[in-house]
């Protein structure tokens, strides 16, 4: 069964597209990312039927593990898909923190591994490991973390980590699922070997299909997730009018600052996103709009249209091999309900 997830805006929220983690490209934030507001978004996602909520990691956003620990106390069924930077803490420590989170939340943690694709941001955290080495470190990180959860003493001697007599005191009963994204060959190899779900950003259908086929050749059991924004209204004209409104809110200076930053990044996935918004026409596929990526790093496309059109496009991605969708829209509180309603209406069983 297809899973749908939402997004928690831990940089703040508004009715304008903003950067996910840094100031370059950021919009005004009318709603501060308080525990109270983010819990409202989480509960709206819970009511709308979403399985979990992705919480980003990086400069400019609040620490996701700390914030989600608080939000878990104000929700009951929603899982928290917490992003973390591999290499910024010890895998044995994060394994222990995950154990505590599972205890606090009654097993509602999933983890999104972020290797990092912005050298300047990595350096600001004090990390100067090269890109290929970061992926090698990520592979070791996940392996050590998983072995720690087994609850049996183990030793590990790798290039980046050394553990002697590691392991939790007892096996972790509910092991968090591991989500992982990245478009480079090194990222694909790590995902195929270590992830439960491989996350893609919303590209045109043929490109998504090709990427799924490539990674399925390495691991046919790997589940596939698609991260894309949604602009849905009662009819197509209203949806595209909303996209135009969002575009008008992106002033040239915001676009310039964001694009300048994207050009310095060494992320293959970011380069693919940026390439989609460089033409005169931001519509890059049926109902697929690349305007988001003018100012927002990471996922830079949105599905735009009526409920019927949105669900038709989601079904096409499902047919291509997508098992899960991580969706979002501005503002995240109201759009959680709107998008959730649109999806549920199309998938509600027809009475006999």
């Amino acid at each position: 069964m297809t899973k749908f997830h939402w997004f928690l805006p831990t940089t703040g929220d508004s009715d304008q597209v903003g950067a996910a983690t840094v100031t370059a490209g950021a919009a005004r934030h009318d709603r501060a990312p308080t525990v109270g507001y983010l819990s409202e978004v989480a509960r709206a996602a819970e009511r709308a039927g979403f399985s979990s909520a992705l919480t980003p990691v990086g400069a400019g956003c609040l620490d996701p593990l700390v914030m989600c620990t608080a939000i878990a106390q104000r929700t009951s069924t929603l899982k928290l898909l917490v992003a973390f930077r591999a290499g910024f803490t010890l895998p044995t420590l994060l394994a222990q923190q995950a154990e505590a989170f599972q205890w606090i939340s009654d097993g509602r943690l999933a983890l999104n591994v972020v290797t990092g694709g912005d050298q300047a941001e990595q350096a600001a955290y004090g990390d100067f490991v090269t890109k290929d080495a970061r992926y090698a470190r990520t592979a070791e990180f996940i392996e050590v973390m998983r072995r720690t959860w087994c609850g049996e003493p183990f030793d590990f001697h790798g290039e980046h980590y050394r553990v002697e007599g590691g392991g939790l005191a007892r096996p972790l009963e509910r092991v968090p699922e591991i989500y992982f994204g990245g478009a480079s060959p090194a990222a694909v190899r790590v995902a195929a070997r270590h992830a439960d779900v491989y996350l893609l950003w919303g590209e045109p259908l043929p490109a998504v299909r090709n990427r799924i086929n490539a990674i399925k050749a390495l691991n046919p059991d790997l589940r596939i997730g698609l991260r894309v924004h949604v602009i849905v209204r009662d009819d197509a004209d209203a949806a595209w009018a909303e996209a135009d409104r969002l575009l008008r809110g992106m002033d040239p200076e915001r676009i310039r600052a964001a694009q300048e930053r994207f050009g310095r990044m060494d992320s293959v996935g970011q380069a693919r996103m940026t390439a989609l918004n460089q033409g005169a026409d931001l519509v890059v596929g049926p109902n697929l709009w690349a305007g988001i990526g003018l100012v927002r790093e990471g996922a830079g496309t949105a599905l735009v249209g009526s409920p019927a059109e949105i669900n038709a496009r989601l079904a096409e991605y499902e047919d291509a091999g997508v098992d899960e969708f991580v969706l979002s829209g501005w503002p995240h509180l109201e759009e959680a309900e709107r998008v959730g309603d649109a999806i549920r209406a199309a998938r509600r069983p027809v009475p006999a």
Side-chain angles (χ1 to χ4, degrees):
M1 183 176 179
T2 304
K3 289 184 179 180
F4 292 91
H5 313 274
W6 197 243
F7 185 84
L8 293 180
T10 51
T11 55
D13 203 6
S14 75
D15 63 354
Q16 297 290 329
V17 176
T21 58
V22 295
T23 56
R28 71 176 194 277
H29 289 148
D30 300 325
R31 303 175 186 179
T34 62
V35 171
Y37 178 69
L38 293 174
S39 296
E40 284 189 63
V41 176
R43 288 192 295 268
E46 201 170 57
R47 293 191 301 271
F50 290 100
S51 296
S52 72
L54 172 64
T55 310
V57 67
C61 65
L62 297 165
D63 181 83
L65 190 61
V66 173
M67 293 302 296
C68 285
T69 302
I71 292 166
Q73 304 307 293
R74 301 184 178 208
T75 52
S76 56
T77 61
L78 188 75
K79 284 190 173 183
L80 287 309
L81 177 48
V82 177
F84 72 93
R85 286 285 172 86
F88 283 15
T89 188
L90 292 173
T92 47
L93 175 59
L94 186 60
Q96 187 178 29
Q97 291 172 324
E99 179 189 38
F101 194 104
Q102 293 294 59
W103 175 260
I104 291 169
S105 68
D106 194 25
R108 289 187 284 131
L109 176 67
L111 291 170
N112 178 31
V113 185
V114 178
T115 300
D118 182 351
Q119 291 174 305
E121 187 180 17
Q122 297 290 123
Y125 277 104
D127 183 39
F128 293 87
V129 175
T130 63
K131 179 180 178 179
D132 287 343
R134 288 200 300 269
Y135 279 108
R137 181 177 64 183
T138 295
E140 287 189 15
F141 189 105
I142 300 173
E143 182 176 351
V144 170
M145 184 168 62
R146 286 193 184 277
R147 291 185 66 178
T148 304
W149 286 331
C150 290
E152 298 178 357
F154 73 96
D155 297 337
F156 182 90
H157 291 182
E159 182 181 354
H160 299 277
Y161 297 105
R162 178 175 176 176
V163 179
E164 296 183 358
L168 297 178
R170 62 188 62 83
L172 188 60
E173 292 183 5
R174 288 170 287 192
V175 173
E177 289 186 306
I178 301 295
Y179 288 68
F180 184 89
S184 70
V188 171
R189 290 192 296 270
V190 173
R193 181 177 176 185
H194 295 286
D196 297 304
V197 182
Y198 180 48
L199 283 177
L200 309 174
W201 287 331
E203 297 184 69
L205 185 63
V208 169
R209 185 181 291 112
N210 289 340
R211 293 187 62 194
I212 292 174
N213 290 341
I215 198 162
K216 286 285 191 175
L218 299 177
N219 181 355
D221 296 325
L222 189 66
R223 297 203 309 280
I224 306 297
L226 189 74
R227 174 78 180 98
V228 66
H229 311 281
V230 174
I231 302 172
V232 61
R233 294 296 185 269
D234 290 340
D235 59 67
D237 288 344
W240 286 108
E242 175 65 8
D244 289 341
R245 185 192 68 80
L246 292 173
L247 185 61
R248 291 194 301 272
M250 303 176 196
D251 66 70
E253 178 54 29
R254 286 180 63 209
I255 295 174
R256 185 205 62 76
Q259 294 292 310
E260 183 178 279
R261 175 175 176 253
F262 302 159
R264 295 194 302 264
M265 294 168 66
D266 61 1
S267 166
V268 174
Q270 182 61 62
R272 292 174 71 102
M273 283 288 100
T274 302
L276 292 176
N277 61 51
Q278 297 305 294
D281 189 358
L282 293 172
V283 180
V284 295
N287 300 101
L288 188 65
W289 184 61
I292 304 293
L294 290 171
V295 295
R296 189 194 190 280
E297 75 275 20
T301 56
L303 291 173
V304 182
S306 67
E309 290 173 324
I310 297 299
N311 282 288
R313 301 293 84 76
L314 293 175
E316 290 170 352
Y317 282 116
E318 287 177 272
D319 290 343
V322 173
D323 305 291
E324 307 187 14
F325 294 92
V326 183
L327 309 176
S328 53
W330 293 270
H332 292 76
L333 177 59
E334 290 86 350
E335 291 303 304
E337 181 176 356
R338 189 195 305 271
V339 174
D341 285 348
I343 293 171
R344 282 203 310 271
R347 293 164 185 266
R348 187 176 295 123
V350 178

